[in-house]
Amino acid sequence: MNSSLAIEITGINKSFGRKELFRNLNFSVKWGETIVVIGSNGSGKTTLISLIATLSAVDSGSIIVSGLDVSKDPEQIRSNIGFIAHETLLYDDLSGYENLQFVGRMYGITDIDRKVMSVAVQLGLEDRINERISTLSHGLKKRFSIARALIHEPRILLMDEPEAGLDSATVDILGDIVKKHSASGGASVITTHSLQGITKIADRIAKLSPNGSLIEESINRDVNNNDEIFNRS
């Protein structure tokens, strides 16, 4: 086990019925590193995030998160993860404040009121904090979803296409959050279907290929220069 790795995936296989999604997949993320995983619809991006988040199980192989085996210590691993899914994971009939307070209590956060307001300010939500989630726009719901993932100060962020439906200002806020997270030693895995936007903050980009393997490349900060890499099969 490598202590410099936040996530270590070794030889995993995963199928759904006759569809083989991953075949002997190997993948790792260092502490302080942000990796963006790109792939077409159906390539396995969401499944990869779900496996790391202990929401699904591999057929074979191993996944180690924060030094813990996902098959043996799922609850402890979840306490170290901030997860942003396609769904907001919010309760529509509660206010933003009540949603964040509820999640904070789940994680046993002390001084919860201060923490709720702190993360709300971080995402520019302080003026909307008492509004019911059902009355908010999609973009604001996504901001509260991000706040939900951050409230317990996780060491690892897992984001499944987090920029979908976000305006450019919120994408910039998300980028700043991820940069600060990496600078503090945290690790992030972000999936996307586009080379634009969120890839600009990546230390590495990885592409899920149709044969269930992973192509990894060090990122050139000029994202347009990566087009050749991700046109490979």
Side-chain angles (χ1 to χ4, degrees), residues 141-154:
K141 288 179 181 178
K142 288 282 287 193
R143 286 200 197 193
F144 273 109
S145 178
I146 296 168
R148 181 191 186 281
L150 297 176
I151 195 158
H152 59 298
E153 300 182 353

Side-chain angles (χ1 to χ4, degrees), residues 147-161:
R148 181 191 186 281
L150 297 176
I151 195 158
H152 59 298
E153 300 182 353
R155 295 194 69 199
I156 296 174
L157 296 178
L158 302 177
M159 305 185 181
D160 193 10
E161 298 189 350

Side-chain angles (χ1 to χ4, degrees), residues 33-110:
E33 187 173 42
T34 297
I35 293 186
V36 170
V37 179
I38 190 168
S40 59
N41 289 336
S43 62
K45 301 188 301 296
T46 296
T47 300
L48 180 62
I49 291 286
S50 296
L51 291 171
I52 298 170
T54 77
L55 302 177
S56 184
V58 299
D59 298 332
S60 60
S62 69
I63 300 178
I64 305 298
V65 179
S66 296
L68 302 170
D69 191 321
V70 297
S71 67
K72 298 176 181 176
D73 301 290
E75 290 187 10
Q76 191 171 346
I77 287 171
R78 288 174 198 152
S79 70
N80 290 323
I81 286 175
F83 181 46
I84 300 173
H86 285 288
E87 303 80 15
T88 63
L89 306 178
L90 300 169
Y91 293 101
D92 281 345
D93 58 339
L94 297 180
S95 69
Y97 187 92
E98 290 167 334
N99 268 279
L100 297 180
Q101 188 182 58
F102 174 76
V103 174
R105 284 174 176 163
M106 268 198 331
Y107 285 109
I109 294 173
T110 57

